Amino acid sequence: MAEPILEVSGLYKHYPLATGVLFKKQVGAVKAVDGVDFALHQGETLGIVGESGCGKSTVAKLLMNLERATAGEIFYKGQDITKLSGRALKAVRRNIQMVFQDPYTSLNPRMTVGDIIGEPFEIHPEAAPKGDRRRKVQELLDVVGLNPEYINRYPHQFSGGQRQRIGIARGLALRPEVIVADEPVSALDVSVQAQVINLMARLQSEFDLSCVFIAHDLSVVRHISDRVGVMYLGRIVEIGTDTEIYDHPTHPYTQALLSAVPVPDPEAREHRERIILAGDVPSPTNIPSGCRFRTRCWKARERCAREVPALAVPAEFRLDGGPAAHASACHFAEDAQTVPAEEHESGAA
Ligand SMILES: Nc1ncnc2c1ncn2[C@@H]1O[C@H](COP(=O)(O)OP(=O)(O)OP(=O)(O)O)[C@@H](O)[C@H]1O
Ligand SMILES: [Mg+2]
C-alpha cells in the first residue's frame, strides 16, 4: 500500500476559555478537535460527516494550516506540516487548497471573477508567468463549466451554483494535489447541489485529486466518497468504505444518523426504524468521560463511562490495514442489536 498523501495523527485543537479581569484566568477549553486520526490516500475522496459543532471546520482549518494544532501531527507525503513556517509552509500550501462553504460570502464582491480565480497566482507567482494568467483563468472557467467570456463579471452576476463553480476554479488554479472542501454545497439549493457534487467528482478524477469532502449529512457525501468518517464531539467515531458505513454501520451514532437519511423506496422506508437520539450533543467544554457518545446511546453500559473506546479495526480486517479498514469507536460495535429494543427513544440514564 502506498504511503498516504495526508496522514493525521492524534490531532487536537483546544480553544482556551478565559474569564476574569482582562481574561487572565483560563477556566477550561473548547475541545473542538479532540484526538482525530485518519489517512487520505492518493486519488481518494474521504467524506467527513457530523452534526454542527462537532469540529469539522476546525479539522479543515488545521489541514490548511490556518490554525495551529494544540497537539498532533499532519503528515503531507511523510512530512509533518504542523511545525512548518515561512517558505516551506508556503510550498506545501500550494498543493493543498480549500473550497469554502458559502459562495456568497467567500468571494470578494468588488473583485472580478478573473481576479478572484487568478488571486492564487498573486500569492504564488512562480505558478504562472504574468502573461499566461488570463488564459489560465479562462481555461479554469471552462473546466468548471462557465463561459470564459464571463471573466470580467462580478460575483453578484452569478447564481449560487455558478459562484461555487468560481470557488472551485480558484481552488484548482495552482493545480493542487489535495482539495479540502468544507461543506461546499450546504449553502446551495437542493436542485443545484447534485450538479456541483457531480462537477467535483468529475474534476477529482480528471485532475487526480485527493479530496477531503466535509458535509453535515451522510446522504450528501455518499456518491462522492470512497470512504467516510463520522465525527462526534471532536472525534472520528467510525470510519470505513462507503459500503461499510452505509450498509453495515457498527457505531450507534452512525446508525442513528443513517436512520434519519431519507429513503426514496417506500417499501424500504416502511421497514426502516428511525432512531431518535435522546438529549442534545454535550458541550465541547465538558465532554463525557469514557465514550463521549454514551449519554445519548441506547447501548451504553457501565464500562462506557469508564473506558474510552479506541477507534478499533475489527479482527477480520486487521491484517489488511489498508484504506478499506473499517473501524468503530464503540465497546459494543460487534453487538448485533442495532436499534433500541423497547422504543426508539434512546439515552443512558
Ligand atoms: N476560534 C474559536 N474559538 C473558540 N471556539 C471555537 C472557535 N472556532 C470554533 N470553535 C468551537 O469549536 C467547536 C467546533 O467548531 P467547528 O466550526 O469546527 O464545527 P463544525 O463541525 O464545522 O460545525 P458546523 O457544521 O456548524 O460548520 C464549536 O463548539 C465551536 O463553537
Ligand atoms: Mg463548519
Side-chain angles (χ1 to χ4, degrees), residues 175-242:
R175 295 293 162 105
E177 294 181 294
V178 179
I179 289 275
V180 178
D182 186 6
E183 304 210 36
V185 299
S186 303
L188 304 178
D189 284 350
V190 175
S191 57
V192 183
Q193 288 187 353
Q195 294 169 17
V196 173
I197 290 176
N198 290 341
L199 169 70
M200 291 191 72
R202 177 169 67 74
L203 296 173
Q204 196 249 346
S205 68
E206 208 169 303
F207 293 89
D208 193 27
L209 295 164
S210 311
C211 297
V212 175
F213 192 108
I214 295 170
H216 253 85
D217 195 318
L218 274 163
S219 59
V220 169
V221 297
R222 170 140 214 184
H223 297 291
I224 198 168
S225 304
D226 301 297
R227 288 188 304 136
V228 174
V230 177
M231 269 187 91
Y232 185 77
L233 265 185
R235 231 174 230 225
I236 290 181
V237 295
E238 182 163 11
I239 190 163
T241 62
D242 61 342

Side-chain angles (χ1 to χ4, degrees), residues 129-189:
K130 257 208 154 92
D132 274 359
R133 291 184 194 162
R134 193 177 164 84
R135 184 184 53 78
K136 286 207 176 235
V137 168
Q138 284 180 319
E139 269 173 27
L140 285 160
L141 280 167
D142 187 47
V143 156
V144 299
L146 293 173
N147 188 337
E149 286 168 20
Y150 293 168
I151 189 164
N152 294 322
R153 295 195 180 181
Y154 289 87
H156 74 264
Q157 296 173 283
F158 295 88
S159 69
Q162 288 176 323
R163 284 189 219 200
Q164 196 52 299
R165 287 171 193 264
I166 296 165
I168 293 167
R170 176 176 60 188
L172 290 176
L174 299 170
R175 295 293 162 105
E177 294 181 294
V178 179
I179 289 275
V180 178
D182 186 6
E183 304 210 36
V185 299
S186 303
L188 304 178
D189 284 350

Side-chain angles (χ1 to χ4, degrees), residues 56-57 101 182-183:
K56 305 180 297 294
S57 294
Q101 171 170 359
D182 186 6
E183 304 210 36

Side-chain angles (χ1 to χ4, degrees), residues 83-339:
K83 276 113 199 152
L84 294 181
S85 57
R87 270 183 173 208
L89 177 59
K90 205 174 163 188
V92 168
R93 276 203 175 140
R94 191 180 152 177
N95 289 312
I96 310 177
Q97 293 287 311
M98 189 151 173
V99 174
F100 294 92
Q101 171 170 359
D102 190 347
Y104 295 89
T105 57
S106 64
L107 305 181
N108 186 337
R110 282 180 291 277
M111 282 167 74
T112 65
V113 164
D115 289 340
I116 290 170
I117 298 174
E119 202 178 20
F121 298 133
E122 303 292 326
I123 304 162
H124 297 270
E126 76 286 358
K130 257 208 154 92
D132 274 359
R133 291 184 194 162
R134 193 177 164 84
R135 184 184 53 78
K136 286 207 176 235
V137 168
Q138 284 180 319
E139 269 173 27
L140 285 160
L141 280 167
D142 187 47
V143 156
V144 299
L146 293 173
N147 188 337
E149 286 168 20
Y150 293 168
I151 189 164
N152 294 322
R153 295 195 180 181
Y154 289 87
H156 74 264
Q157 296 173 283
F158 295 88
S159 69
Q162 288 176 323
R163 284 189 219 200
Q164 196 52 299
R165 287 171 193 264
I166 296 165
I168 293 167
R170 176 176 60 188
L172 290 176
L174 299 170
R175 295 293 162 105
E177 294 181 294
V178 179
I179 289 275
V180 178
D182 186 6
E183 304 210 36
V185 299
S186 303
L188 304 178
D189 284 350
V190 175
S191 57
V192 183
Q193 288 187 353
Q195 294 169 17
V196 173
I197 290 176
N198 290 341
L199 169 70
M200 291 191 72
R202 177 169 67 74
L203 296 173
Q204 196 249 346
S205 68
E206 208 169 303
F207 293 89
D208 193 27
L209 295 164
S210 311
C211 297
V212 175
F213 192 108
I214 295 170
H216 253 85
D217 195 318
L218 274 163
S219 59
V220 169
V221 297
R222 170 140 214 184
H223 297 291
I224 198 168
S225 304
D226 301 297
R227 288 188 304 136
V228 174
V230 177
M231 269 187 91
Y232 185 77
L233 265 185
R235 231 174 230 225
I236 290 181
V237 295
E238 182 163 11
I239 190 163
T241 62
D242 61 342
T243 350
E244 286 162 343
I245 296 294
Y246 291 93
D247 299 341
H248 310 286
T250 63
H251 196 287
Y253 181 59
T254 314
Q255 292 166 353
L257 284 185
L258 274 172
S259 82
V261 169
V263 178
D265 172 7
E267 201 177 323
R269 192 159 55 219
E270 212 160 274
H271 292 288
R272 198 181 49 179
E273 318 219 35
R274 173 89 199 260
I275 303 167
I276 297 166
L277 293 174
D280 294 322
V281 186
S283 161
T285 58
N286 191 13
I287 291 178
S289 67
C291 172
R292 59 196 59 216
F293 182 61
R294 71 177 163 84
T295 54
R296 303 175 77 198
C297 183
W298 64 93
K299 282 185 177 178
R301 295 179 222 168
E302 187 258 343
R303 180 181 171 198
C304 304
R306 259 189 301 115
E307 263 177 64
V308 178
L311 188 62
V313 179
E316 63 265 39
F317 295 114
R318 234 164 256 156
L319 283 179
D320 170 317
H326 180 189
S328 178
C330 173
H331 292 308
F332 304 104
E334 269 134 89
D335 215 339
Q337 183 201 348
T338 54
V339 286

